């Protein structure tokens, strides 16, 4: 399953997965989890606090930039 650029690559989180959030906030509802090494399509939007907008299971989610690498 190849993800075209741009995408975010989930890095080492300490747990082996990263929460996908509904909104760009650590207190936002969790949509699901992505595993370390997973690639998610980047939707060309990020916040000042470093959240990246991504495609997740056909919808939109947000991941913390602390644990991902943006590949353009």
């Amino acid at each position: 399953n190849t993800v075209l650029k741009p995408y975010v690559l989930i890095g080492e989180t300490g747990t082996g997965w990263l929460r996908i959030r509904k909104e760009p906030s650590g207190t936002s509802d969790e949509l699901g989890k992505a595993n370390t090494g997973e690639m998610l399509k980047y939707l060309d939007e990020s916040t000042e606090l470093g959240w990246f907008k991504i495609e997740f299971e056909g919808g939109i989610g947000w991941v913390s930039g602390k644990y991902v690498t943006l590949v353009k």
Side-chain angles (χ1 to χ4, degrees), residues 16-55:
W17 46 264
L18 181 64
R19 287 185 173 90
I20 312 294
R21 301 283 185 181
K22 188 174 181 180
E23 302 292 336
S25 160
T27 56
S28 172
D29 289 347
E30 185 183 314
L31 295 176
K33 294 182 175 79
N35 294 319
T36 296
E38 214 170 309
M39 296 178 293
L40 299 168
K41 184 169 175 57
Y42 175 60
L43 298 178
D44 286 322
E45 193 179 325
S46 56
T47 70
E48 282 181 17
L49 291 175
W51 289 82
F52 293 111
K53 188 178 191 179
I54 52 102
E55 190 175 286

Side-chain angles (χ1 to χ4, degrees), residues 3-13 18 34-43 46 50-54 63-72:
V3 178
L4 297 176
K5 294 177 183 178
Y7 62 83
V8 296
L9 176 64
I10 310 297
E12 191 47 65
T13 61
L18 181 64
N35 294 319
T36 296
E38 214 170 309
M39 296 178 293
L40 299 168
K41 184 169 175 57
Y42 175 60
L43 298 178
S46 56
W51 289 82
F52 293 111
K53 188 178 191 179
I54 52 102
V63 290
S64 171
K66 216 186 296 188
Y67 302 107
V68 303
T69 303
L70 178 57
V71 180
K72 288 189 169 180

